[in-house]
Structures are given as C-alpha cells and as structure tokens.
C-alpha cells in the first residue's frame, strides 16, 4: 500500500523546514487541506526566513516545535517526513519505536506518474543530471530537472503526466531510507564523503546503493565502469546494465575511442561527438557526458540531437566556473569541490598552467595524502590555506617534500577578501587562480554557494579597483 493512502488517519510530523521540508508541507496541505500537521526545526522561529514564517502563520492547522529541543516532538507522531539534513543518528529512537520514516523524495517516487532518471555518485551528480536534461530538452521531451540540484522532487509534480521525464539528482541523504528506485539509475564514482552524517564509509555506500536496490528487469542502470564501487552496485541490480568509462567493457556502453565519445551496441560502434566539441574542461567531465548519450540512445533520440544537446551545455555555477581574467590572471570558481579527489581533477584539467590554489575548509576526516602529492608534482606556485583542513594539508605537503622537492609558497587566510588579494598579488600574467577547496565550507562560510559567490564578488572588486 502507498504510504500516502494511510496518511489521513495518521499523526504526521515534518521534521526540518528547509526547501524540502516546506515542499513536503505544501504537498501534504494540498492533499489534506484540514489535517493537523506537526512542523519541527532546530532553527528558532525568529531565524526562519520570512516566507516560511508567513506560510506557517497563515495555516490554522499546524502544531510547531522550534529550537534546540525540536526532536522532543517525535514521540507524538506516527509518520515522520524527514528532511535530508536530519542525521540518521537523530532518528534511532523513532525507528526503535516503529515510527514510519519517509521523505519528500520517497513520496515523489510513489506519486510520480512519469519516468524517473535518478543520478548519484560522490561528485559529478549535478553536471551529469544537467547534461541529461539538456539532451532531453534538445529533443523536445517533457523533461524536469529536480532533486538535490535545488528543486525538491515533490515540487516538480505539478502538471506532470505519464509522458513526463524527471531527471533527479539524488544525494546520499535523499537515498537513505529510500524504498524505491528509479526507472533509469545512473551512478558515478563513490569515494568517502559525508562520513560525519553516515558514521562510516560503509553506511555511505549502503545509502548510495539504494538507487539500484529496488530496480526490476525492465529498468536500466548506467554505471561508471572505471571504478569498483559503481560496478559492484550495478552487479547487484536486477536492471539492464550499461557501463561507461574510458575503456570498453563488454559489447554495450559508452566509452572514449580515438578522440570521440562512442556508443557501443552488440558489436556496432557509433561516434556520437568529438571530445574536442565537448564544452567542459577536464577529462573527468567526459564521464559526466557519457550517461547523457546512453539515456538518449535508450529513449531513441537521434544522434545529431544528442550531440546538439551536449554542445549547448555550459558549466554549472561553482563547478570549474570561469569568473574573470584580470591583467592576464584567470580566476576559476570550483567551490563545489568539497573532497580531495575533486580538487585533484580540477588541477589536472589545466595541464601546463601555473596555479595559485585556494584550498581548505571544514574537516570531515578525509585523507589529503594524494592531493599533497599532486600539489608537489604540478606547477602550484602558492597555496592559500583556509582553516582547518588548510593546516592538515600543509603538514602533509611538508611531510612529503623530501629529497629536495620545492615547496610552494603558502599563506594561511581567514576570509575570502584577503585570499583573493593575496592570490592576485602572487600571480603573474598567464597564471590561474583556482578556488577548489577539497573541503566543505562550514567553518568560514554558510555553504559552498556562499563561498563561491564571495570568491566571485572579490574577484570582480579587483576589476573595479584597476
């Protein structure tokens, strides 16, 4: 039975009132105009944004719980709509007491009348999802881009039909406790991240594999065969398996071949688009393009339209985003690189360039050994280091700098204005200043968006001062 069929008789709490929480509230209110709903959030009432307060104040059928003891409300309710930011550890008692834990994402899967294409992985989710969406738009498909990319899934269901296709980015937070899987699942590489949320890497991987856990033989799973974890997750799925990556695997999939992204099917090869025509920097981004090609082929979209959709794509904000060139110094915003592997990929996207690297942030216990090695073996002129992982990274760089290896210049910085000015003063014409922190932002900024926007603001201030 669909959980929504039983809600009219149940006491329902919406836990967390961010974008997804308010989306769940509005969705449930449309279904049950007079139902008494519980609303709970750690944030104090006065600190909620004005629109949220207005929506709550205008509704006469809510009971509210705000502030540090907001979790005390859980015992009064039978069904909990959990927002992604609620840590699993905070709901242990609720599970033990047989509460039903659901979410905006799970309700979306249960109510969606169309086809769901779900995308996950540690990095590349947003770019992969946006590329798929661009290809579908080029083919005039009724497509909707939703999920972790910023639009709560339930909010995208208005006017949806059986012909609608929902390209849905799924974070590990959203996949936790999900009991349904998409019709087409896409999984990029999985490396350690969000360990403070999940507790350990095994739990993080377990959340990711929910994208395929409930698939059927009529479904598809597209997996990055260049890496072991996506491959293992795909092997356990009941769906049709289609690999992609840099080396052909079997008789079907999408791979690079002599400068082209090539689709393979039963011994036949079709060149889809030249690598040179892909409008994204970095070899790693080719792996984000491949699922869009495969999805296009599954849906019967002509090759020329798939290629057009890819060529129309532009890099997303905060993802190797070109900001400005100031007196020959080029600034790139890669604020979404919140793990060392992403920063390594960003550095490798600019071979032969002199770098000033802005790096560091909140410490989630990740390993900086390989990033330190890459910094020492590339033309990194200077590293400007934010706390707290900046100190951790620098200590690792110094530890590895044996046998006469030249250390880059380093400066510890505490704010973006100082970091950008210092970087510009060090840089020479032709150099590249790259914000690619390899860490979350919470120690100095609200989130990665705030960090990236501050970087862009300070870069543009340089221009106004010249």
């Amino acid at each position: 039975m669909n959980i929504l069929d039983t809600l009219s008789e149940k006491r329902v709490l919406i836990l967390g009132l961010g974008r997804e929480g308010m989306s769940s509230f509005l969705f449930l209110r449309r279904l049950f105009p007079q139902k008494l709903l519980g609303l709970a959030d750690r944030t104090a009432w006065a600190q909620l944004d004005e629109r949220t307060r207005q929506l709550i104040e205008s509704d006469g059928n809510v009971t509210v719980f705000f502030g540090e003891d907001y979790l005390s409300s859980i015992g009064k309710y039978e069904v909990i709509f959990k927002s992604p930011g609620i840590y699993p550890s905070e709901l242990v008692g609720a599970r033990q007491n047989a509460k039903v834990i659901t979410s905006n994402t799970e309700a979306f899967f249960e109510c969606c009348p169309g086809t769901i294409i779900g995308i996950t992985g540690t990095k590349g989710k947003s770019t992969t999802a946006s590329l798929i969406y661009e290809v579908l738009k080029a083919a005039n498909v009724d497509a909707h881009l939703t999920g972790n990319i910023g639009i709560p899934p339930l909010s995208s269901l208005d006017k949806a039909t059986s012909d609608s296709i929902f390209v849905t980015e799924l974070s590990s937070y959203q996949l936790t406790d999900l009991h349904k899987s998409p019709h087409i699942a896409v999984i990029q590489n999985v490396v350690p991240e969000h360990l403070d949320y999940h507790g350990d890497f095994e739990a993080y991987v377990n959340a990711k594999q929910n994208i395929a856990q409930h698939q059927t033989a009529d479904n598809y799973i597209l997996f990055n065969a260049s890496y072991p974890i996506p491959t293992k997750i795909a092997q356990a799925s009941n769906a049709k398996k289609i690999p992609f990556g840099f080396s052909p695997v079997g008789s079907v999939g999408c791979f690079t071949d002599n400068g082209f992204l090539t689709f393979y099917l039963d011994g036949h090869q079709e060149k889809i688009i030249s690598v040179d025509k892909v409008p994204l920097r970095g070899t790693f981004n080719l792996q984000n393009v491949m699922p869009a090609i495969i999805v296009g082929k599954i849906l019967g979209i002509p090759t020329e339209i798939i290629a057009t959709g890819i060529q129309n794509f532009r890099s997303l904000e905060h993802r190797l985003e070109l900001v400005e060139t100031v007196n020959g110094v080029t600034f790139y915003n890669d604020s979404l690189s919140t793990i060392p592997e992403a920063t390594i990929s960003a550095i490798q996207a600019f071979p032969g360039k002199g770098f000033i690297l802005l790096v560091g942030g909140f410490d989630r216990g990740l390993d900086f050994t390989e990033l330190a090695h890459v910094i020492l073996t590339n033309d990194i002129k200077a590293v400007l280091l934010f706390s707290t992982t900046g100190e951790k990274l620098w200590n690792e760089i110094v530890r590895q700098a044996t046998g006469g290896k030249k250390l880059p210049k380093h400066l510890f910085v505490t704010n973006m204005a100082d970091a950008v000015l210092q970087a510009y003063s060090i840089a020479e014409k032709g150099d590249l200043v790259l914000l690619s922190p390899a860490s979350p932002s919470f120690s100095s900024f609200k989130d990665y968006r705030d960090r990236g926007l501050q970087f862009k603001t300070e870069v543009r201030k340089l221009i106004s001062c010249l």
Side-chain angles (χ1 to χ4, degrees):
M1 178 182 288
N2 187 316
I3 186 175
L4 297 179
D5 296 335
T6 69
L7 289 184
S8 61
E9 308 163 10
K10 302 290 185 180
R11 296 186 299 277
V12 178
L13 174 70
I14 298 170
L15 191 60
L17 296 178
R19 280 194 299 262
E20 283 205 15
M22 290 308 295
S23 169
S24 298
F25 171 56
L26 294 173
F27 177 80
L28 291 175
R29 183 52 76 221
R30 287 195 297 272
L31 286 180
F32 309 107
Q34 303 302 318
K35 184 176 179 61
L36 183 64
L37 297 171
L39 306 177
D41 195 283
R42 183 192 302 274
T43 305
W45 171 259
Q47 294 176 324
L48 291 174
D49 67 84
E50 184 176 353
R51 182 175 181 273
T52 298
R53 291 201 306 269
Q54 288 175 348
L55 286 170
I56 294 172
E57 286 175 333
S58 66
D59 192 305
N61 291 309
V62 294
T63 304
V64 298
F65 308 88
F66 295 106
E68 291 298 321
D69 63 345
Y70 76 111
L71 290 174
S72 64
S73 60
I74 290 176
K76 303 178 178 67
Y77 294 90
E78 299 164 281
V79 178
I80 299 166
F81 269 75
K82 176 185 77 72
S83 293
I86 304 299
Y87 277 43
S89 59
E90 296 177 309
L91 295 175
V92 171
R95 296 181 204 284
Q96 291 173 344
N97 290 311
K99 307 288 186 182
V100 175
I101 312 294
T102 188
S103 66
N104 188 287
T105 302
E106 184 150 48
F108 163 75
F109 271 78
E110 292 183 341
C111 296
C112 181
T115 299
I116 300 174
I117 302 172
I119 300 96
T120 198
T122 301
K123 289 299 172 188
K125 297 186 298 295
S126 294
T127 301
T128 301
S130 299
L131 279 157
I132 293 171
Y133 177 64
E134 198 70 44
V135 167
L136 297 182
K137 280 200 308 176
N140 293 316
V141 171
D142 178 24
H144 306 264
L145 183 61
T146 188
N148 190 59
I149 201 163
I151 302 170
L154 280 178
S155 298
S156 66
L157 285 180
D158 290 348
K159 301 180 181 178
T161 71
S162 59
D163 293 326
S164 302
I165 297 180
F166 295 86
V167 184
T168 308
E169 181 189 340
L170 296 167
S171 70
S172 61
Y173 297 5
Q174 291 166 313
L175 287 166
T176 300
D177 294 320
L178 188 63
H179 299 98
K180 291 182 179 291
S181 296
H183 305 95
I184 301 175
V186 180
I187 181 160
Q188 293 283 7
N189 192 24
V190 177
V191 297
E193 193 180 31
H194 303 307
L195 302 187
D196 55 333
Y197 181 93
H198 292 283
D200 56 34
F201 186 49
E202 181 180 4
Y204 175 62
V205 172
N206 287 341
K208 290 292 189 185
Q209 69 185 14
N210 278 339
I211 198 169
Q213 188 76 26
H214 308 285
Q215 287 191 294
T216 68
D218 294 328
N219 299 153
Y220 293 87
I221 182 163
L222 286 47
F223 64 100
N224 194 328
S226 298
Y227 303 100
I229 292 178
T231 301
K232 183 178 179 181
I233 291 173
Q235 287 171 344
S237 172
N238 292 319
K240 300 178 182 71
K241 301 167 181 60
I242 305 181
F244 60 91
F246 293 130
S247 299
V249 178
S251 61
V252 64
C254 188
F255 306 96
T256 51
D257 183 15
N258 292 321
F260 282 84
L261 294 183
T262 301
F263 183 73
Y264 293 70
L265 180 61
D266 297 332
H268 300 286
Q269 301 178 21
E270 182 182 6
K271 295 178 179 178
I272 306 298
I273 186 172
S274 168
V275 168
D276 294 337
K277 291 185 178 179
V278 174
L280 293 169
R281 293 200 68 101
T283 302
F284 70 95
N285 262 319
L286 298 177
Q287 297 174 105
N288 297 330
V289 176
M290 292 172 185
I293 292 172
I294 300 172
V295 168
K297 286 297 179 181
I298 290 172
L299 298 178
I301 297 173
T303 296
E304 60 271 18
I305 294 179
I306 295 173
T308 297
I310 293 167
Q311 287 179 268
N312 288 342
F313 185 76
R314 294 296 175 265
S315 179
L316 301 180
E317 189 176 24
H318 311 300
R319 298 158 179 85
L320 276 186
E321 175 193 10
L322 175 62
V323 180
E324 299 282 354
T325 298
V326 184
N327 282 344
V329 178
T330 303
F331 291 81
Y332 273 87
N333 167 27
D334 192 40
S335 183
L336 194 60
S337 282
T338 56
I339 58 173
E341 290 85 352
T343 297
I344 290 169
S345 293
I347 292 170
Q348 292 172 342
F350 299 93
K353 282 287 186 180
F355 277 93
I356 291 86
L357 179 66
L358 280 61
V359 64
F362 183 74
D363 190 357
R364 277 186 168 149
L366 300 180
D367 186 354
F368 287 87
T369 305
E370 183 61 23
L371 177 56
H373 172 73
V374 169
I375 288 171
L376 284 169
T377 53
N378 283 267
D379 189 11
I380 309 295
K381 294 185 175 181
V383 286
L384 276 62
L385 302 151
F386 287 97
S387 184
T388 56
T389 58
E391 291 92 339
K392 182 177 180 180
L393 173 60
W394 181 248
N395 289 338
E396 180 60 27
I397 291 170
V398 172
R399 187 188 71 80
Q400 291 189 27
T402 57
K405 287 182 182 177
K406 183 180 178 182
L407 283 169
K409 184 174 182 178
H410 77 287
L411 294 168
F412 292 100
V413 290
T414 58
N415 60 77
M416 192 60 74
D418 184 41
V420 170
L421 282 172
Q422 293 283 5
Y424 183 61
S425 68
I426 296 168
E428 299 174 319
K429 189 173 182 179
D431 284 347
L432 188 147
V433 175
L434 175 66
L435 170 68
S436 191
S439 309
S441 55
F442 309 125
S443 55
S444 303
F445 308 95
K446 293 178 184 177
D447 52 27
Y448 77 86
R449 292 182 184 88
D450 176 45
R451 178 169 60 190
L453 290 172
Q454 286 195 35
F455 177 72
K456 293 196 289 185
T457 297
E458 296 304 326
V459 170
R460 286 162 184 156
K461 281 182 183 179
L462 290 176
I463 297 172
S464 65
C465 294
L466 296 178

